[in-house]
Every structure is written in structure tokens, then in C-alpha cells.
Amino acid sequence: MRIMNEIRLDFPALPENESLARMVVSAFLVPVNPTLEELADVKTAVSEAVTNAIVHGYARSMGTVRLHAVYREDGLLTVDVSDRGCGIADVARAREPFYTTLDGEERSGMGFTVMESFMDAVEVESAVGKGTTVRLKKQMNRREALLARRA
């Protein structure tokens, strides 16, 4: 399927850059004409993925987070959030609700659950000591499909 638009942004793994990632993905989606719900869903999932990269991937050390978004002509949006941090030893366990590696901190362990509830698919690739990529997928343009059905 043909790529209609694509962006790649690298930024320091700083908590204040989570909002940057949300705004960048919002601006990227403007030409797609998403519904407010679609836009909020994507921003929320991206926020969770970026926060996980910053808080868990680098665990108080400095690094870079990469946001790579692709929009295809069939309406599929794919957003990859990658880090080169510590990696995840057990991805299946990390995806369980309430699981967190940061005991005693104010973390709910719901990051992946939140991402999964707002996106059509969430894929995770990780290697200990090498980093993690979270791929978020959402079929966009439902607004046009709904309008076409009503006409």
C-alpha cells in the first residue's frame, strides 16, 4: 500500500517531551481529517508509549526516543515509538494489567492496557540491553466511511 505521508522525530528522553510527541502526532494527522475521538485515541496511546520509553526504557538515564509515523492510502496509521534503553525481559508479562517494574513509585502498570484500548493493534519488539519498539496501529478515516453510509 502506498505511503501518503511519513514523519520521523528523534528527541531526548525527557518527561517534558511527552507533550511534544502528542502535538507532533496531532499536527501530522490534521490533513487526515480525523474525528475528535480518533485524534484523542492516538494522542493518548502515543503519550503512553513515549512515557514508557522515558520512564522504563531509560530508567533515570539519558537517551533518545524516536517517533516514526506513517499514513497509508488505505487509511492505516502506524506510529512506532522506539528507545535504545534497557529493553523488556518478558514482554507478555509487561503487557499484563497492573504490572510495573517500578515498585514504590506512582505507576499504575496500565500503559500497555491503555494503548491497547485506544488503538486497533499494539505490537512490541524488545531485546534486553538493546531497547524497545512499540508499534501502534489505527485505521483512520472512519468519518468519511460513516458519512458515505448515511448518504
Side-chain angles (χ1 to χ4, degrees):
M1 199 54 56
R2 191 167 71 101
I3 292 174
M4 301 299 291
N5 200 3
E6 178 177 19
I7 60 166
R8 190 171 288 119
L9 174 68
D10 293 345
F11 53 90
L14 299 169
E16 56 266 33
N17 284 336
E18 177 270 329
S19 61
L20 171 70
R22 288 171 61 94
M23 297 314 293
V24 166
V25 80
S26 294
F28 178 74
L29 287 174
V30 167
V32 175
N33 193 27
T35 64
L36 290 177
E37 182 179 359
E38 288 172 329
L39 187 59
D41 289 352
V42 173
K43 286 171 53 177
T44 300
V46 166
S47 177
E48 289 294 331
V50 169
T51 298
N52 276 358
I54 293 168
V55 172
H56 299 287
Y58 291 110
R60 297 181 185 88
S61 64
M62 187 45 85
T64 299
V65 177
R66 171 169 283 177
L67 174 75
H68 178 215
V70 174
Y71 181 72
R72 300 184 336 190
E73 68 181 342
D74 64 354
L76 181 65
L77 170 70
T78 303
V79 181
D80 289 351
V81 176
S82 303
D83 66 67
R84 292 178 170 244
C86 64
I88 302 170
D90 186 344
V91 172
R93 185 156 184 231
R95 292 179 79 151
E96 291 176 6
F98 307 113
Y99 176 79
T100 183
T101 57
L102 300 175
D103 292 332
E105 294 193 23
E106 293 184 28
R107 297 284 165 203
S108 68
M110 296 295 289
F112 285 119
T113 303
V114 169
M115 287 180 244
E116 291 166 348
S117 68
F118 288 106
M119 301 300 284
D120 297 329
V122 176
E123 300 167 0
V124 183
E125 290 183 23
S126 191
V128 174
K130 294 185 178 181
T132 302
T133 296
V134 174
R135 174 164 286 165
L136 308 167
K137 293 181 179 182
K138 188 164 192 75
Q139 187 65 44
M140 304 297 288
N141 285 334
R142 294 185 180 146
R143 175 186 288 178
E144 280 71 23
L146 289 173
L147 292 174
R149 276 190 254 159
R150 291 182 187 159

